[in-house]
Amino acid sequence: MPIEQAARYAAEDADVTMHLHRTLYPRIAAHEALERIYREIEIPVSVVLQRMERNGVLIDAAALVRQSDELGRKMLDFERRAVEAAGQPFNLNSPKQLGEILFGRLGLPVVRKTASGAPSTDEEVLAKLAEDYPLPRIVLEWRALAKLKSTYTDKLPKMVDPRSGRVHTSYSQAVAVTGRLASSDPNLQNIPVRTPEGRRIREAFVAPPGSSIVSADYSQIELRIMAHISGDESLLRAFEQGLDVHRATASEIFGIAPADVSAEQRRYAKVINFGLIYGMSAYGLAANLGIERDAAKNYIERYFARYPGVARYMDETRALARSQGYVETVFGRRLWLSEINSPNGPRRSAAERAAINAPMQGTAADLIKMAMIAVQRWLDERRMASKLIMQVHDELVLEVPRAELDEVRSELPRLMTGVASLSVPLEVECGVGANWEQAH
DNA sequence: AGGTTAAGCGCG
DNA sequence: AAAGCGCGCTTAACCT
């Protein structure tokens, strides 16, 4: 691009930005809480984000390339078995072709249809069909590998910047309506963790020689925020006493001593605790736990009987969202809900769920942004060489030279827990390793 | 050739 | 009618 043209674009960018500022800033400044979030959080964190992007993350590209090769070989084996079960070759990556094989050629029952009316072949459907037929299981296994290979092990090595030898994500500060960040090109906020094969990818997120990866994440931050906002006595007490909150919830809804809670009961309670943060219904809980809707309804009723403060929070939040058209985080960040009074039932319900979730998700976002500012300020004041390299919603990841390791390990959790004083303590789990996987 | 949408799935 | 919030990325299929 000619320099004159580049200059024109740059000038236009600056001009448009200035016009936006002159129009939008007065609307922020009209509200004290919003002005503070802008001045004390968003502007300072923008500088931190820029530095994190520029720092980048060191990737063991060769290790990922080897994993790609391994995944590819395993996929070929599943492909061979899939074609054998199907009786003809087809593209396993095409839901349309897969549907024709499963529900046409092989005559399997259609479990559910997609929005556009085609028979669904998603994970839940295939898992159900896998109880009775071989092909769905093969496709599920293949898909898991294909996802890892195409999205991560093939792509990340290609994203390494030759100038720095590192991967540089881009953080969007004004995309997520709740105040969260978003990461793209590449997205470093959805690196696999839930399966062993996935975790291997995290092993390729490494520290350079002489340094370590340090990972610090807030423990159950959204549930703690729910306790704070709702003021529910039982939930507050559980966190104050440092209890295992899922066990405590199981104890409450099953009416038994914490010590007598079984693994399955704890799992149920965990699903309920998370589901509530998202405004889940009895229908959703039943589907999730594989139980009858009546049983799910019963659990939810018992939950609300034991945590009446949470029930009150849900009702009050819906009512507030309806009357003012927005909800707020603890620090006053607003999420507008244009469909909260929609005559369309499903749309209105979706807006109500978003209203219930946003104060928790958004407050967590506020807190970790404050932590990022505090951590960066501390590193700067001490002239430290440690670097913030990633943020994953409730987790901060740093690259720390050996000489600073002890100091960072002891101070990082203090900085993160100290950003605000809610009516429950904040807790941070901090780990160290040669790579991201080991740091957990 | 390039853009868009649908389906599916990775994370917190 | 939908049924759990918030994101981004890949591929296939379709469209211009």
Side-chain angles (χ1 to χ4, degrees):
Chain A
M1 180 188 289
I3 193 72
E4 293 84 359
Q5 201 182 340
R8 217 180 328 273
Y9 282 134
E12 185 175 337
D13 258 14
D15 186 52
V16 168
T17 305
M18 179 60 93
H19 274 103
L20 279 170
H21 175 76
R22 286 183 175 159
T23 304
L24 297 178
Y25 180 72
R27 294 175 57 183
I28 292 172
H31 308 280
E32 192 183 337
L34 293 181
E35 203 280 333
R36 284 192 63 177
I37 287 171
Y38 180 74
R39 184 167 43 82
E40 296 178 16
I41 299 180
E42 296 304 334
I43 292 297
V45 89
S46 70
V47 181
V48 180
L49 293 175
Q50 192 276 331
R51 285 181 65 177
M52 291 170 68
E53 292 180 355
R54 194 180 171 102
N55 286 340
V57 184
L58 189 62
I59 300 287
D60 183 348
L64 290 176
V65 169
R66 285 195 297 273
Q67 289 183 31
S68 275
D69 191 69
E70 243 180 80
L71 291 167
R73 273 201 293 257
K74 289 182 180 167
M75 284 166 67
L76 278 174
D77 192 44
F78 285 115
E79 278 158 36
R80 186 183 53 70
R81 291 162 58 187
V83 169
E84 192 182 307
Q88 67 177 73
F90 68 104
N91 183 351
L92 275 78
N93 229 335
S94 163
K96 191 177 169 201
Q97 292 184 36
L98 176 61
E100 284 160 9
I101 297 282
L102 290 176
F103 310 111
R105 198 171 205 283
L106 302 179
L108 271 54
V110 174
V111 176
R112 176 161 46 80
K113 296 201 169 171
T114 66
S116 65
S120 170
T121 70
D122 72 12
E123 193 174 343
E124 193 185 330
V125 166
L126 293 189
K128 176 75 187 155
L129 293 172
E131 293 173 9
D132 299 307
Y133 309 94
L135 182 53
R137 172 65 56 200
I138 297 167
V139 174
L140 280 174
E141 307 267 2
W142 181 89
R143 271 191 190 162
L145 302 178
K147 180 82 177 183
L148 296 181
K149 184 171 188 289
S150 66
T151 309
Y152 304 103
T153 60
D154 282 351
K155 287 288 148 41
L156 286 171
K158 297 187 197 299
M159 303 283 301
V160 173
D161 187 321
R163 293 169 300 181
S164 66
R166 301 163 75 99
V167 166
H168 302 266
T169 188
S170 171
Y171 289 107
S172 296
Q173 208 177 342
V175 166
V177 293
T178 54
R180 272 192 178 180
L181 301 176
S183 160
S184 61
D185 305 301
N187 182 355
L188 297 184
Q189 292 180 324
N190 72 342
I191 302 301
V193 69
R194 291 172 191 175
T195 65
E197 311 81 61
R199 283 172 173 270
R200 290 190 63 201
I201 293 168
R202 292 192 170 217
E203 292 174 2
F205 285 67
V206 297
S211 289
S212 297
I213 298 294
V214 173
S215 159
D217 66 281
Y218 285 111
S219 165
Q220 277 140 10
I221 186 142
E222 292 186 0
L223 271 181
R224 288 174 196 271
I225 292 165
M226 183 156 85
H228 171 86
I229 297 178
S230 70
D232 183 275
E233 285 180 30
S234 302
L235 207 51
L236 287 172
R237 199 178 323 121
F239 282 121
E240 276 161 16
Q241 296 178 355
L243 301 181
D244 172 342
V245 70
H246 302 312
R247 179 172 294 273
T249 298
S251 157
E252 292 284 358
I253 59 183
F254 292 107
I256 55 180
D260 295 333
V261 170
S262 72
E264 191 187 33
Q265 287 170 324
R266 185 181 182 280
R267 187 174 65 80
Y268 273 41
K270 188 173 174 179
V271 171
I272 293 169
N273 276 334
F274 279 114
L276 285 162
I277 290 175
Y278 304 140
M280 192 163 64
S281 66
Y283 177 96
L285 183 63
N288 214 297
L289 292 176
I291 60 178
E292 292 297 318
R293 197 184 326 183
D294 286 348
K297 190 160 170 282
N298 203 276
Y299 286 137
I300 291 176
E301 280 168 6
R302 284 179 20 206
Y303 180 94
F304 284 134
R306 291 295 186 166
Y307 298 98
V310 176
R312 200 180 318 120
Y313 163 71
M314 304 272 171
D315 290 340
E316 288 175 359
T317 300
R318 282 190 203 92
L320 203 60
R322 271 195 287 273
S323 65
Q324 59 189 19
Y326 64 87
V327 291
E328 293 177 330
T329 67
V330 167
F331 303 98
R333 183 192 300 275
R334 292 181 183 181
L335 172 70
W336 289 88
L337 299 150
S338 61
E339 305 213 271
I340 194 68
N341 289 304
S342 169
N344 180 316
R347 285 172 180 251
R348 191 174 60 250
S349 295
E352 288 178 1
R353 294 192 297 273
I356 285 169
N357 174 258
M360 294 177 274
Q361 186 181 124
T363 299
D366 293 340
L367 289 169
I368 196 159
K369 283 176 173 174
M370 291 187 249
M372 293 164 74
I373 296 161
V375 169
Q376 187 61 59
R377 178 176 304 155
W378 178 73
L379 293 173
D380 288 346
E381 282 169 359
R382 310 288 297 250
R383 304 268 192 277
M384 294 176 78
S386 297
K387 293 184 288 201
L388 273 167
I389 56 171
M390 287 189 278
Q391 188 257 39
V392 193
H393 306 305
D394 64 354
E395 173 186 13
L396 296 180
V397 184
L398 289 82
E399 195 177 285
V400 179
R402 181 151 40 230
E404 298 177 3
L405 192 52
D406 288 345
E407 204 176 353
V408 169
R409 283 183 84 160
S410 69
E411 198 59 26
L412 183 60
R414 292 167 46 85
L415 287 164
M416 289 175 69
T417 56
V419 289
S421 155
L422 305 186
S423 47
V424 288
L426 295 179
E427 283 185 15
V428 165
E429 291 177 0
C430 186
V432 183
N435 60 58
W436 194 11
E437 166 63 14
Q438 281 178 11
H440 270 106

